[in-house]
Amino acid sequence: MTDLRPLCDLAIIGAGPAGLSAAVAARAAGAGHVVVLEREAEPGGIPRHCGHSPYGMREFRRVMGGRAYAARLAAEARAAGAEIHCETSVIAIHPGGRLLVSTPKGAMEIGARRVLLATGCRETSRAARLIGGEKPGGILNTGALQGLVYLQGITPFRRPLIVGSELVAFSALLTCRHAGMRPVGMAAPEARPLARWPAGLLPRLMGVPFWGRTRIAAIHGHDRVTGVTLEGPDGPRDLACDGVILSGRFRPENALALTGHLEIDPATRGPVVDSDGRCSDPAYFAAGNALRGVETAGWCWAEGRRIGVAIAADLARGLPSPTLTVAAEGALAYALPARIRPGSDGLPDLQLRAARPLRGRLTLTLDGTEILSRTISARPERRITLPLSILPAGASGRLVVRLEEGG
């Protein structure tokens, strides 16, 4: 590993799929000195913690395990000429691309012409889920579970309860199988799994009960988990288990942005960006799950590539300012990006999420003139995309996207 230089063209914070693909794309598009700063001991991000498949179909046209996929991403970034500095944490970000960095050799400040936030996301904690009861050991999120199993070879429990039904909950189920654990069940507040079919078939195939419309009311145990109280359609009941896996409910890992100077979108909880991935401070960009939680590794990889190209273009000749502002109304949880430059190659789609399951009408208006209207069936965990290419050339003004039930 080479020493950090005081000034670079592009500093990427985070060596997951978005950050590593951005490094490759930026270098290929002409960016000069590119460094990737990663706080963990090895690059690769969340996939490095996953020993199971499938990864890599979008990126490499083959099915790969998470660890092999992460190693391939890192190898490609290094081959492209990017420097990867592990065990290196960015402590603070300052206007104009100044970063305070903690390295194995001590703290230092570096400057970058451009900075990409690719810090990923994290699962919601027990406290944020308002789960009562005692505070024993043996309560993990999926990321911590996979780190113990795949990176350290530790089996933290034998009969855990999995809480959640997003795709990551089924990843936790596969991790349990890999380590010889047999979950006592999966509990989720939704009537049916949020993950797309056929993931929902996995519990049945593995003989693990799935309890919908069920929440965990309390956790019991002193030193270790001994059981939980579940509340479901038939009322409360106690369930014996020796661990609890809290999966899903992702949110961006945005401590740097929150404590810094960047504008934050209260709906996504990530930085406000335009369609080039550019933040409120034009020296900063963001990509992947730093923008919202959560998208797949493949989606983040593709997004990182596009924004890496946009950053290289900005370094070479500058990028025009966005001309459209975006507002999400009605039953929409958020719309991303918040500002649009027609013709941008960074984020090609307007990304939407519904606030609740519904069938309704989605409309897009520009300064009061309707551009699009269509009926859709939406669920909060399902991505809705509208291609920005439908916008008139040279459009400017206020773009309102609205989802209403019925219609």
Side-chain angles (χ1 to χ4, degrees):
M1 180 179 75
T2 59
D3 290 337
L4 286 170
R5 304 176 197 174
L7 182 68
C8 60
D9 292 303
L10 171 59
I12 298 172
I13 306 175
L20 293 172
S21 67
V24 172
R27 283 286 299 161
H33 183 206
V34 175
V35 299
V36 182
L37 311 176
E38 171 55 51
R39 66 186 178 185
E40 294 196 16
E42 295 180 32
I46 289 176
R48 187 173 68 87
H49 297 226
C50 301
H52 59 74
S53 60
Y55 287 89
M57 285 298 294
R58 180 197 299 252
E59 305 88 325
F60 306 121
R61 302 294 187 269
R62 55 178 294 190
V63 176
M64 308 174 71
R67 296 164 71 182
Y69 170 78
R72 174 78 176 266
L73 293 177
E76 291 204 341
R78 290 190 175 104
E83 298 175 9
I84 301 177
H85 298 266
C86 293
E87 298 182 316
T88 300
S89 298
V90 178
I91 302 170
I93 60 175
H94 300 292
R98 291 184 301 111
L99 308 176
L100 180 60
V101 178
S102 174
T103 78
K105 296 182 178 180
M108 66 182 296
E109 187 174 88
I110 65 171
R113 295 174 61 199
R114 298 293 182 271
V115 177
L116 174 64
L117 301 176
T119 45
C121 62
R122 57 185 172 85
E123 292 168 283
T124 300
S125 67
R126 171 187 177 173
R129 296 172 192 244
L130 303 178
I131 298 174
E134 298 167 276
K135 298 182 179 180
I139 305 170
L140 302 173
N141 62 29
T142 310
L145 170 72
Q146 292 174 331
L148 289 174
V149 170
Y150 292 121
L151 301 184
Q152 299 182 46
I154 295 173
T155 301
F157 29 60
R158 290 293 177 183
R159 298 281 287 166
L161 171 72
I162 299 174
V163 179
S165 68
E166 297 176 46
L167 187 60
V168 68
F170 300 96
S171 177
L173 194 56
L174 290 172
T175 300
C176 287
R177 184 182 68 171
H178 173 87
M181 296 178 274
R182 185 177 176 82
V184 296
M186 299 180 72
E190 304 81 23
R192 57 182 182 176
L194 292 176
R196 291 179 182 269
W197 187 91
L201 298 177
L202 190 59
R204 184 184 306 172
L205 293 173
M206 293 178 61
V208 176
F210 176 85
W211 300 302
R213 296 196 297 273
T214 301
R215 73 178 191 91
I216 183 168
I219 299 174
H220 309 300
H222 181 63
D223 296 324
R224 300 286 303 177
V225 171
T226 58
V228 300
T229 298
L230 298 178
E231 288 187 354
D234 299 324
R237 67 185 180 101
D238 292 331
L239 178 71
C241 61
D242 64 354
V244 176
I245 304 167
L246 300 175
S247 70
R249 295 194 187 181
F250 286 94
R251 57 183 63 197
E253 184 64 83
N254 61 355
L256 287 174
L258 282 171
T259 58
H261 62 292
L262 301 180
E263 183 182 355
I264 300 295
D265 185 333
T268 64
R269 300 176 180 173
V272 170
V273 294
D274 65 15
S275 51
D276 290 304
R278 184 170 39 186
C279 299
S280 54
D281 179 342
Y284 289 83
F285 289 70
N289 285 328
L291 292 175
R292 80 331 243 153
V294 59
E295 291 289 357
T296 64
W299 179 274
C300 294
W301 172 86
E303 194 167 80
R305 286 186 69 191
R306 291 190 294 264
I307 292 178
V309 172
I311 293 172
D314 194 34
L315 286 167
R317 55 187 179 275
L319 292 172
S321 298
T323 58
L324 289 163
T325 59
V326 180
E329 296 184 354
L332 285 173
Y334 68 76
L336 174 74
R339 304 180 182 105
I340 294 172
R341 177 177 67 85
S344 167
D345 293 324
L347 298 172
D349 302 303
L350 192 60
Q351 302 173 31
L352 314 171
R353 290 290 175 104
R356 63 180 186 275
L358 59 84
R359 181 172 177 81
R361 182 160 294 278
L362 182 69
T363 58
L364 190 65
T365 59
L366 175 59
D367 288 339
T369 300
E370 188 174 279
I371 297 174
L372 175 144
S373 177
R374 74 184 193 200
T375 299
I376 67 167
S377 179
R379 294 173 64 183
E381 71 282 2
R382 303 287 172 84
R383 181 193 319 121
I384 306 167
T385 58
L386 296 177
L388 297 183
S389 59
I390 67 175
L391 299 175
S396 62
R398 186 169 186 263
L399 193 66
V400 177
V401 57
R402 184 176 183 85
L403 179 59
E404 291 184 330
E405 195 156 9

